[in-house]
């Protein structure tokens, strides 16, 4: 019997489509206890055969495993060697099951146990999956990993990647049989479907697209054009073999005072590679010439650093120290440079918080994506203070 986990809200389209598909096919669904901190324990007990998740959960799995590997020189050496060997084979087109059978048996099989040990397919949706996390999943979880793309307005499953095909790495795949799509130019962001590769806002048409917003004709007209295409607001890139890659979001871009455009999701994706960061929110606006950030540090990493650096206090107290602030800012700058960011994309000041962004605080969506307007409202005082301090330097 196929078994899957369920931890997203039952009204969320991604979870609803996956769950109803399972029930129609005679599968079983297991529900979590409601705490993100206990989710991996729930999954290990449930032992799902298909794991459908969102990037935030996969980021957490990656951070947990990477931190554990770094705690031992031998484990870290074997892990890096295994990933390098297996990924090299996968890039050559070898199916993951045959890419590194020895490492699968002695190393990756144990890592797969994080998800219960029985997972046959991993599906990621709800937001773009960071490339380094997708590479980690493809090598370490001993099963095919695919990304999909869709919205509530398109009944979720509009695009899906082909399992075990390296050409679909970092993409959400090809359109479903019922879906028509096209790319529309976004001049203010320098995206054009006539470029090579073609880029633009993703527009979708087909029977799976909704008829309109309930009793909101004005918003419906703004979302569905005269040709019946729904404007998703997401910016996509078409690969040479017809697969779609989501590269940006029209609403999550802003212009700095010097005229440079910044795509914050892309920056946050890079910064999250640093294991010292539990959560990162990057902010900037048209009245300022740089970006700043609010960071929730990884508690275990921060406290280990504090012990070595002679900084006393509990997690909350350490977060408030200037020493910790400098350390995290230096880490952000280092990660930004390693990610080949431009100067205006590198965070110039940071505020540390010991409380994680959460759904209950209305700072995350039910699929754990950042609620940017709510974050700005919540941290407005801290953001203003960061910019004021920068102006005095």
């Amino acid at each position: 019997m196929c078994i899957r986990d369920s931890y997203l809200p039952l009204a969320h389209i991604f979870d609803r489509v996956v769950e109803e598909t399972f029930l129609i096919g005679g599968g079983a669904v297991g529900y979590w206890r409601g705490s993100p901190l206990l989710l991996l324990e729930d999954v290990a007990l449930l032992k799902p055969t298909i794991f459908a998740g969102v990037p935030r959960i996969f980021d957490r799995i990656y951070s947990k495993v990477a931190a554990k590997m770094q705690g031992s020189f031998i484990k870290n050496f074997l892990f890096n060697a295994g990933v390098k060997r297996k990924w090299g084979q996968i890039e050559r087109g070898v199916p993951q099951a045959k890419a590194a059978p020895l490492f699968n048996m002695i190393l990756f099989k144990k890592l797969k146990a994080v998800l219960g040990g029985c997972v046959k397919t991993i599906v990621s949706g709800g937001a773009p999956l960071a490339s380094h996390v997708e590479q980690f999943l493809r090598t370490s979880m001993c099963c095919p990993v695919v990304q999909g793309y869709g919205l509530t307005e398109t009944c979720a499953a509009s695009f899906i990647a082909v399992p075990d095909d390296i050409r679909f790495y970092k993409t959400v795949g090809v359109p479903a049989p019922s879906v028509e799509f096209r790319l529309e130019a976004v001049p203010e962001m320098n995206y054009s479907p006539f470029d090579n590769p073609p880029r633009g806002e993703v527009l979708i048409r087909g029977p799976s697209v909704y008829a309109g917003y309930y009793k909101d004709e004005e918003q419906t007209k703004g979302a569905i054009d005269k040709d019946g295409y729904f404007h998703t607001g997401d910016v996509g890139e078409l690969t040479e073999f017809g697969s779609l890659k989501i590269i940006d979001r029209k609403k999550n871009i802003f212009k700095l005072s010097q005229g440079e455009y910044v795509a914050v999701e892309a920056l946050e994706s890079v910064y999250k590679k640093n294991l010292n960061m539990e959560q990162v929110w990057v902010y900037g606006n048209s009245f300022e010439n740089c970006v700043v950030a609010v960071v929730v540090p990884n508690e275990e990493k921060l406290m280990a650093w504090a012990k070595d650096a002679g900084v006393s206090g509990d997690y909350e107290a350490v977060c408030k120290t200037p020493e910790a602030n400098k350390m995290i800012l230096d880490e952000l700058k280092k990660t930004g440079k390693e990610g080949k960011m431009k100067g205006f994309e590198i965070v110039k000041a940071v505020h540390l918080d010991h409380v994680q962004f959460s759904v209950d605080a209305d700072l995350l969506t039910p699929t754990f994506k950042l609620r940017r307007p709510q974050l700005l409202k919540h941290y407005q005082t801290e953001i203003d203070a960061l910019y004021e301090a920068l102006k005095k330097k």
Side-chain angles (χ1 to χ4, degrees), residues 358-370:
S358 67
V359 177
D360 291 341
D362 199 33
L363 301 180
L364 297 178
T365 70
T367 54
F368 308 113
K369 289 184 283 190
L370 299 177

Side-chain angles (χ1 to χ4, degrees), residues 13 78 83 91-92 102 130 144 151 175 198 208 210 242 256 262 264 266 275 282 288 298 302 317 323 329 387:
I13 192 66
L78 286 173
V83 168
E91 285 187 310
R92 295 183 181 92
L102 181 60
L151 302 90
S208 59
Y210 75 138
L256 297 176
V262 176
V264 288
L275 299 181
V282 177
E288 307 294 346
N298 179 287
L302 184 69
E323 293 88 350
L329 182 58
Y387 277 122

Side-chain angles (χ1 to χ4, degrees), residues 331-347:
E331 287 291 320
L332 287 170
K333 290 178 178 178
K334 182 180 75 173
T335 303
K337 290 177 181 177
E338 290 173 351
K340 298 181 180 179
M341 289 183 180
K342 298 174 183 176
F344 60 85
E345 294 176 323
I346 294 178
V347 168

Side-chain angles (χ1 to χ4, degrees), residues 21 27 48 85 124 143 200 209 262 266 302 304 308 345 369:
T21 301
R85 167 65 179 170
S124 178
C143 67
V209 175
V262 176
L302 184 69
D308 293 339
E345 294 176 323
K369 289 184 283 190

Side-chain angles (χ1 to χ4, degrees), residues 26-299:
V29 179
Y31 298 95
W32 70 325
R33 285 175 284 177
S35 170
L37 298 177
L38 300 175
L39 177 59
L40 292 182
E41 291 183 19
D42 295 340
V43 172
L45 290 171
L46 179 62
K47 300 184 185 302
T49 53
I50 293 182
F51 189 89
V54 294
R56 174 61 185 146
I57 297 303
F58 296 125
D59 289 343
R60 184 182 292 274
I61 295 170
Y62 167 78
S63 298
K64 180 178 180 180
V65 172
K68 189 173 183 179
M69 292 300 107
Q70 289 181 2
S72 165
F73 173 79
I74 295 176
K75 286 182 179 179
N76 196 44
F77 176 79
L78 286 173
F79 176 71
N80 289 331
V83 168
K84 184 177 180 180
R85 167 65 179 170
K86 188 171 183 178
W87 185 246
Q89 291 294 93
I90 289 175
E91 285 187 310
R92 295 183 181 92
V94 180
Q96 70 82 24
K98 299 178 180 179
L102 181 60
F103 278 106
N104 283 347
M105 183 173 62
I106 65 173
L107 177 62
F108 296 134
K109 185 178 179 180
K110 296 178 181 179
L111 297 182
K112 186 177 181 178
V114 173
L115 298 180
C118 299
V119 175
K120 290 179 169 47
T121 306
I122 291 176
V123 182
S124 178
L129 182 64
S131 59
H132 69 283
V133 177
E134 183 179 356
Q135 181 180 340
F136 160 75
L137 293 173
R138 282 175 176 260
T139 53
S140 303
M141 293 296 117
C142 299
C143 67
V145 177
V146 296
Q147 290 195 66
Y149 172 73
L151 302 90
T152 301
E153 293 88 342
T154 66
C155 202
S158 300
F159 292 77
I160 189 72
V162 176
D164 253 357
D165 190 330
I166 190 58
R167 296 178 302 170
F168 289 85
Y169 172 52
K170 296 194 289 189
T171 80
V172 295
V174 293
S178 63
V179 169
E180 295 178 76
F181 83 101
R182 67 186 186 193
L183 301 179
E184 183 174 85
V186 187
E188 66 272 21
M189 299 172 70
N190 295 319
Y191 292 129
S192 170
F194 300 105
D195 288 341
N196 186 20
R199 294 175 171 178
E201 181 184 2
V202 180
L203 277 56
I204 297 176
R205 182 172 70 179
S208 59
V209 175
Y210 75 138
Y213 294 108
Y214 183 63
K215 293 185 179 182
D216 196 338
E217 187 176 345
E218 191 65 30
Q219 189 174 352
T220 299
K221 287 181 178 179
I224 301 177
D225 63 24
K226 59 183 178 62
D227 295 322
Y229 280 94
F230 169 64
H231 291 239
T232 66
D234 292 310
V235 177
E237 174 184 303
L238 200 60
T239 67
E240 60 183 356
F241 54 92
S243 185
L244 182 68
K245 180 189 296 185
I246 303 300
I247 59 173
D248 220 329
R249 174 76 179 164
K250 284 180 69 175
K251 294 181 180 179
N252 293 338
I253 188 169
F254 52 82
K255 184 190 290 186
L256 297 176
S257 60
Q258 68 270 44
E260 299 284 1
Y261 282 98
V262 176
V264 288
E265 285 187 344
L267 303 190
E268 290 161 354
S269 178
V270 173
Y271 285 129
K272 284 190 296 185
K273 292 180 181 180
N274 192 309
L275 299 181
N276 289 287
M277 319 296 162
E278 186 68 34
Q279 293 175 311
V280 182
W281 169 53
V282 177
Y283 175 77
N285 63 51
S286 300
F287 299 101
E288 307 294 346
N289 62 5
C290 64
V291 295
V292 296
V294 174
V295 171
V296 179
N298 179 287
E299 183 174 357

